[in-house]
Amino acid sequence: MAKRSERQFWLFKSEPDSFSIDDLARTPGRTTFWSGVRNYQARNFLRDTIQVGDGVLFYHSSTDPLAIVGTANVVKKGYPDHTAFDPKDSHYDPASDPAEPTWYMVDIRLEKIFPKPLTRDRLQATAALKGMMLLKRGSRLSIQPVTASEWAAIHKLAVVKES
DNA sequence: GCCAACGTTGGC
DNA sequence: GCCAACGTTGGC
């Protein structure tokens, strides 16, 4: 794994019915482990690429309105997702061996909740975000890389007053 | 190793 | 609620 010093950016999807940004705000230390990811591509990001200090866009999926609702920072890098070992957990995976875990997670701490959710409609109407993975048809990946320019464009949108 | 069938995701 | 896109599974 190549070492890097540059901060990288990510988008984490969550269905607010199961875990919303307000739930994160209520969590002690405004910090949570991001468990339950059961997709290999997302797992690889969590295990191998995401570093402490990286920025996270918090996205609400399968809801109305669909929106980026705030930001968080990575405070702990990839470590085994223990929910895979718990038969009572809905994300239990008997194939994941604690001695050689299949699934990983990171910890994130809430940075800020946007004063107004940045809706998907608005993202789609923004030229600078044309190529964003989130906006591609059939983009199901729940942990997505975000480019530095997309990150900057989104922050600009989040503070610009809506007309 | 191919690929049809199936289950899930998630926008619409 | 619908269904396209995608990932996984399993028969061959």
Side-chain angles (χ1 to χ4, degrees):
Chain A
M1 186 59 44
K3 214 170 166 220
R4 68 175 161 87
S5 50
E6 289 280 295
R7 185 180 188 217
Q8 288 185 190
F9 307 104
W10 308 91
L11 179 141
F12 287 17
K13 289 185 196 171
S14 187
E15 299 190 15
D17 284 350
S18 59
F19 191 78
S20 71
I21 199 162
D22 292 323
D23 292 328
L24 177 55
R26 282 190 291 267
T27 304
R30 306 175 108 205
T31 300
T32 190
F33 51 83
W34 201 261
S35 64
V37 173
R38 299 291 180 265
N39 167 281
Y40 286 102
Q41 201 181 343
R43 186 282 308 272
N44 292 345
F45 287 139
L46 291 168
R47 186 189 60 186
D48 306 330
T49 318
I50 298 176
Q51 298 296 328
V52 170
D54 281 0
V56 172
L57 299 170
F58 199 112
Y59 179 76
H60 281 173
S61 67
S62 297
T63 188
D64 188 20
L66 297 166
I68 297 172
V69 290
T71 59
N73 285 306
V74 175
V75 293
K76 183 173 179 178
K77 66 178 232 142
Y79 63 106
D81 180 345
H82 59 77
T83 67
F85 310 138
D86 179 3
K88 292 187 292 290
D89 194 280
S90 61
H91 295 288
Y92 175 55
D93 178 8
S96 184
D97 173 6
E100 204 167 334
T102 309
W103 305 114
Y104 280 72
M105 59 189 184
V106 299
D107 288 358
I108 64 169
R109 180 188 297 133
L110 179 63
E111 187 189 18
K112 67 178 165 206
I113 298 178
F114 291 156
K116 255 188 131 173
L118 213 50
T119 64
R120 186 179 180 90
D121 286 350
R122 202 140 172 256
L123 300 174
Q124 281 166 336
T126 302
L129 300 177
K130 200 105 186 163
M132 200 177 173
M133 186 182 292
L134 178 71
L135 304 180
K136 298 233 169 80
R137 236 157 86 70
S139 169
R140 308 190 335 183
L141 197 58
S142 65
I143 304 285
Q144 302 183 354
V146 170
T147 68
S149 72
E150 287 162 356
W151 177 264
I154 282 158
H155 276 69
K156 207 161 140 196
L157 278 181
V159 297
V160 169
K161 249 213 277 217
E162 300 192 41
S163 51

